[in-house]
């Protein structure tokens, strides 16, 4: 069909487009287009993370090296910081308050608790800032965002392993000789690492939208530490006191306390099986499985929103 213009020129009307009436989604499907930065399926996401396992490891090691690069003592602070915390807790709780009474091998008991809880505490704190503190990297490169909280938890595990060397020296100094039970350290640490990583992923998603959460977390973690039996024996505190049954269950099922108890049982001769909550390994495995799966899926659900807005 044609029409004559005022200057006698003839113009042909354009043929109707074959895309008319299509929604943006249908048009994208027609031409094989996909959304930039769209969230992959869960199985594909896991595969992408596995493909970047070397990046995760290298990033964790680089962060660990850079953490104390400006300090004169450098990497010594990896061990000195939890040791100084243990010393402060010993002076305040062990000597002034007297929580060491009735606790055999109190120094190994305390140092083990401080080191193991610090592992969880540092993982959670680092996870809270994993996205909000690395927005430049998130916005500049395309990679599974879960690499960041996993890297930070791996960094904290590496730091704990440095500290474990000093812990072994302390144990030997206080008469704790190596036994077969020391091998239980490895499965306990694996379960705690999975738990920490899942919790760090939850906090990473929350912290990506609410950066102020990082300012609140030290108070939450300090409260959690006091409820985890780091500086005292929960059994001795509860002994002779009439507390509601659910409070005792919550204290015994507290994941931080569970992993601390497992490590004390593995390393300290006087911390015998009767001091462990019933089914402690089931608690440890259950918390790791629950938090690992829930934290990973919860983080993955918001994959396409990290670094935007």
């Amino acid at each position: 069909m044609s029409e004559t213009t005022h200057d006698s020129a003839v113009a042909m009307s354009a043929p109707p487009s074959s895309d008319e009436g299509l929604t943006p989604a249908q048009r994208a499907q027609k031409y094989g287009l996909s959304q930039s930065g769209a969230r992959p399926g869960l199985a594909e996401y896991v595969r992408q993370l596995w493909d970047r396992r070397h990046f995760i490891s290298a990033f964790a090691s680089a962060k660990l090296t850079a953490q104390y690069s400006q300090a004169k003592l450098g990497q010594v602070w990896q061990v000195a910081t939890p040791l100084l915390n243990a010393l402060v807790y010993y002076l305040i709780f062990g000597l002034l308050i007297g929580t060491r009474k009735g606790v055999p091998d109190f120094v190994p008991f305390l140092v083990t608790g401080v080191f193991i809880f610090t592992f969880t505490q540092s993982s959670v704190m680092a996870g809270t800032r994993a996205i909000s503190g690395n927005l430049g990297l998130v916005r500049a490169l395309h990679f599974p965002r879960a690499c960041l909280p996993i890297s930070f938890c791996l960094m904290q595990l590496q730091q704990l392993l440095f500290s474990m060397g000093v812990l072994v020296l302390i144990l030997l100094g206080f008469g704790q000789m190596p036994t077969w039970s020391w091998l239980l350290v490895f499965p306990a640490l694996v379960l705690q690492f999975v738990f920490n990583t899942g919790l760090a992923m939850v906090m990473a998603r929350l912290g990506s939208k609410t950066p102020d959460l990082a300012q609140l977390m030290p108070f939450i973690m300090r409260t959690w530490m006091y409820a985890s039996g780091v500086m005292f024996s929960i059994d001795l505190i509860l002994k002779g006191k009439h507390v509601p049954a659910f409070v005792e269950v919550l204290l015994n099922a507290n994941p931080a306390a569970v992993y601390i108890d497992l490590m004390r049982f593995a390393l300290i001769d006087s911390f015998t099986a009767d001091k462990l909550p019933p089914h402690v390994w089931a608690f440890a495995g259950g918390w790791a499985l629950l938090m690992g799966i829930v934290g990973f899926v919860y983080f993955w659900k918001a994959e396409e929103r990290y670094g935007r807005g």
Side-chain angles (χ1 to χ4, degrees):
M1 179 178 180
S2 64
E3 60 180 11
T4 304
T5 62
H6 67 280
D7 57 355
S8 300
V10 177
M12 301 298 294
S13 61
S17 171
S18 61
D19 290 345
E20 288 182 4
L22 296 181
T23 65
Q26 291 171 333
R27 194 173 294 127
Q29 183 178 10
K30 176 181 177 180
Y31 292 103
L33 303 177
S34 60
Q35 179 184 347
S36 176
R39 182 185 70 201
L42 191 58
E44 173 63 17
Y45 194 66
V46 173
R47 188 194 66 78
Q48 291 179 10
L49 280 173
W50 176 252
D51 289 343
R52 289 163 176 81
R53 62 191 181 277
H54 301 299
F55 164 75
I56 294 173
S57 177
F59 186 79
S61 299
K63 280 290 185 180
L64 183 61
T65 302
Q67 185 174 9
Y68 301 106
S69 60
Q70 301 300 318
K72 290 185 177 180
L73 294 180
Q75 304 301 312
V76 173
W77 285 109
Q78 295 182 32
V79 177
T81 299
L83 277 178
L84 290 174
N85 283 333
L87 177 60
V88 171
Y89 297 145
Y90 177 77
L91 293 175
I92 295 176
F93 290 91
L95 295 180
L96 296 181
I97 300 180
T99 58
R100 74 184 192 280
K101 296 177 181 177
V103 180
D105 304 306
F106 181 73
V107 172
F109 176 93
L110 174 64
V111 175
T112 301
V114 170
F115 280 25
I116 299 305
F117 185 81
T118 299
F119 178 31
T120 294
Q121 180 183 43
S122 301
S123 298
V124 172
M125 295 298 295
T128 305
R129 299 185 179 92
I131 301 297
S132 60
N134 294 275
L135 285 179
L137 182 63
V138 170
R139 290 169 176 169
L141 299 175
H142 177 68
F143 62 94
R145 307 314 187 196
C147 290
L148 293 176
I150 293 174
S151 292
F152 282 110
C153 290
L154 184 59
M155 166 188 161
Q156 299 306 324
L157 177 61
Q158 292 174 355
Q159 188 161 337
L160 175 66
L161 294 178
F162 281 115
S163 302
M164 291 295 288
V166 177
L167 176 59
V168 168
L169 294 178
I170 293 174
L171 291 170
L172 294 176
F174 282 84
Q176 303 296 316
M177 292 296 106
T179 64
W180 288 109
S181 67
W182 283 29
L183 295 177
L184 295 175
V185 165
F186 299 103
L189 281 182
V190 169
L191 293 175
Q192 187 182 5
F193 174 75
V194 174
F195 170 81
N196 290 353
T197 303
L199 185 54
M201 287 185 173
V202 172
M203 300 311 302
R205 176 173 172 178
L206 296 176
S208 68
K209 287 299 182 183
T210 313
D212 288 349
L213 187 62
Q215 308 303 320
L216 179 64
M217 288 309 298
F219 302 99
I220 296 176
M221 297 306 300
R222 194 174 301 126
T223 303
W224 192 10
M225 179 181 66
Y226 293 145
S228 301
V230 174
M231 295 82 64
F232 51 82
S233 169
I234 294 177
D235 288 341
L236 290 178
I237 293 295
L238 295 179
K239 190 175 182 179
K241 293 182 175 63
H242 300 287
V243 296
F246 77 92
V247 173
E248 187 172 353
V249 170
L250 289 177
L251 289 174
N252 286 328
N254 174 1
V258 165
Y259 295 120
I260 290 172
D261 283 344
L262 283 179
M263 197 63 65
R264 285 169 173 163
F265 173 71
L267 297 175
I268 304 173
D269 294 339
S270 58
F271 199 88
T272 51
D274 62 294
K275 295 181 174 63
L276 293 174
H279 315 297
V280 65
W281 282 103
F283 278 136
W287 276 118
L289 187 63
L290 175 66
M291 190 55 66
I293 294 175
V294 170
F296 184 80
V297 173
Y298 179 73
F299 184 89
W300 163 75
K301 285 280 189 179
E303 173 72 12
E304 69 272 16
R305 298 201 295 270
Y306 297 129
R308 299 184 179 182

